[in-house]
Amino acid sequence: MNKAIFLNIFFLFFYSCKEKSNSLIKTDNGYLLNFHEISGDTNHVNKGCIVNLNIIAKDENQKIIFSSKENGLDGVSSFFYDSTILKSPMNGILLKTFKGDSLSFSMKSSVFYRSLFGEKILNRIIIDSSILKVDLKVLGCFNFKEQIDYQKKLEISAQGKEDSILDFAKKSWDSKFLNIYKSRGLYAIKLSSNDSLNFYGDSMKNEIFIGYTMKEISGRLIYETSYLKPEIYDRSKNDQLLEGFEILVGNFQKGDSIVALIPSNLLFGRNGSFINQIPPFTPMKVNLKIN
């Protein structure tokens, strides 16, 4: 009896290790898939579903070119399994996966973006012919109704994380600084005030010139204007600035340097910005100079 129990335990241990060990599969179109984890789940990725993935794609220098953390909702990239994927090399890869599977493979950068995002995205961002190492985990494959419920859970989670990040940063500011300007969840402090730089003389009375850096509150740089080429906006025209910037420009003066904590609903909101690698529900820390 003891011997039988021992053999059963050994078999289960061996089988479990085998499921999680590397396994190589070659697709019909020649892609070599290295499975790091085989889940054993019966939820197969299939045509017509909405597939949810966690993806990290790095170039040969280990630079992250795409990641679900920086492009997806709460770390999840969702794709409708339509003709874009069906007619791409990614089709042969995804059809070999189940929910919970984790794998990696190599793919040309242009093929990667075309397979998942189509020609429209390819025309809007700079794509080279480098080879990417793609790490992919299948989080689920749902029908439309199931996806709506899943999406709501992701949004609630992402919004909760934003609230937590902002609350922590604001409490720190409240304990350190006086004269904090507060509006619609935005916090701002004037660092200095001096004569504004007159880049183009006095011929453009309605225009303002702004230079800024935009970072995630964690410190990741999103965007920075050039000192010699500030952005130009016309006060007489509406909807030129994101709401957070409109609040700052409307409540501070030319020559002011400002640092601000801005919630996502005053910036890129629930959609984020794919091109700028800003995920949905991402608050920002902005250093702004108004001229």
Side-chain angles (χ1 to χ4, degrees):
M1 177 67 73
N2 289 337
K3 185 176 181 180
I5 293 173
F6 173 79
L7 288 174
N8 285 332
I9 293 173
F10 176 80
F11 174 78
L12 290 172
F13 176 78
F14 175 78
Y15 181 78
S16 176
C17 290
K18 184 178 179 183
E19 285 290 285
K20 294 187 177 182
S21 64
N22 286 19
S23 177
L24 297 177
I25 297 176
K26 195 169 186 178
T27 66
D28 294 338
N29 51 0
Y31 285 91
L32 189 63
L33 311 181
N34 184 5
F35 280 79
H36 307 292
E37 183 174 0
I38 300 174
S39 68
D41 197 286
T42 57
N43 186 1
H44 193 282
V45 174
N46 56 81
K47 303 170 186 177
C49 77
I50 299 170
V51 61
N52 297 277
L53 308 171
N54 181 276
I55 304 171
I56 299 177
K58 298 179 181 179
D59 65 14
E60 295 170 347
N61 297 316
Q62 296 301 300
K63 178 184 177 182
I64 295 177
I65 304 301
F66 175 92
S67 78
S68 297
K69 180 181 178 181
E70 295 175 358
N71 291 87
L73 173 59
D74 200 30
V76 180
S77 297
S78 302
F79 305 95
F80 183 63
Y81 209 126
D82 60 2
S83 58
T84 300
I85 294 178
L86 280 171
K87 296 177 181 178
S88 76
M90 197 67 73
N91 181 55
I93 294 171
L94 291 176
L95 289 182
K96 293 189 178 296
T97 64
F98 293 79
K99 177 183 177 181
D101 285 355
S102 178
L103 62 148
S104 61
F105 52 90
S106 295
M107 177 177 278
K108 286 180 66 174
S109 176
S110 56
V111 175
F112 172 80
Y113 280 98
R114 185 181 290 110
S115 295
L116 294 175
F117 306 102
E119 294 292 340
K120 289 184 179 179
I121 289 295
L122 245 134
N123 294 333
R124 294 176 63 191
I125 56 180
I126 299 172
I127 302 293
D128 56 30
S129 58
S130 63
I131 300 297
L132 301 180
K133 180 180 181 292
V134 181
D135 290 294
L136 182 151
K137 185 175 180 67
V138 181
L139 303 175
C141 186
F142 305 127
N143 61 38
F144 185 72
K145 184 178 182 303
E146 291 170 335
Q147 183 66 24
I148 290 175
D149 293 336
Y150 183 64
Q151 201 86 1
K152 287 180 180 177
K153 291 178 183 178
L154 292 178
E155 288 192 6
I156 291 170
S157 175
Q159 183 68 74
K161 289 175 183 177
E162 176 182 7
D163 292 343
S164 178
I165 290 168
L166 276 174
D167 286 347
F168 182 82
K170 288 177 178 179
K171 285 178 182 177
S172 176
W173 278 35
D174 284 331
S175 66
K176 294 178 181 178
F177 306 119
L178 299 173
N179 302 320
I180 300 173
Y181 173 80
K182 302 177 182 180
S183 175
R184 296 172 57 190
L186 176 151
Y187 269 37
I189 304 167
K190 182 165 67 174
L191 299 177
S192 64
S193 182
N194 50 45
D195 293 335
S196 61
L197 298 176
N198 196 340
F199 287 95
Y200 300 100
D202 296 324
S203 60
M204 304 172 74
K205 296 294 184 180
N206 289 324
E207 279 71 15
I208 58 169
F209 306 87
I210 62 173
Y212 62 92
T213 59
M214 183 186 295
K215 296 180 179 180
E216 285 191 25
I217 294 176
S218 63
R220 181 172 72 98
L221 179 64
I222 299 297
Y223 183 78
E224 183 174 20
T225 58
S226 168
Y227 176 76
L228 296 176
K229 292 183 179 180
E231 295 184 3
I232 307 171
Y233 296 95
D234 189 338
R235 286 182 182 273
S236 65
K237 297 179 180 179
N238 296 323
D239 301 323
Q240 286 194 306
L241 291 169
L242 294 166
E243 287 186 74
F245 282 84
E246 283 186 352
I247 291 172
L248 295 177
V249 169
N251 289 277
F252 291 89
Q253 306 298 318
K254 287 187 177 183
D256 288 348
S257 291
I258 308 141
V259 61
L261 300 173
I262 308 179
S264 67
N265 66 299
L266 299 177
L267 293 171
F268 300 95
R270 64 189 301 161
N271 296 320
S273 173
F274 181 88
I275 300 300
N276 295 308
Q277 293 186 314
I278 302 172
F281 301 103
T282 301
M284 295 286 175
K285 182 178 181 181
V286 173
N287 287 77
L288 175 68
K289 173 72 174 179
I290 306 174
N291 289 298

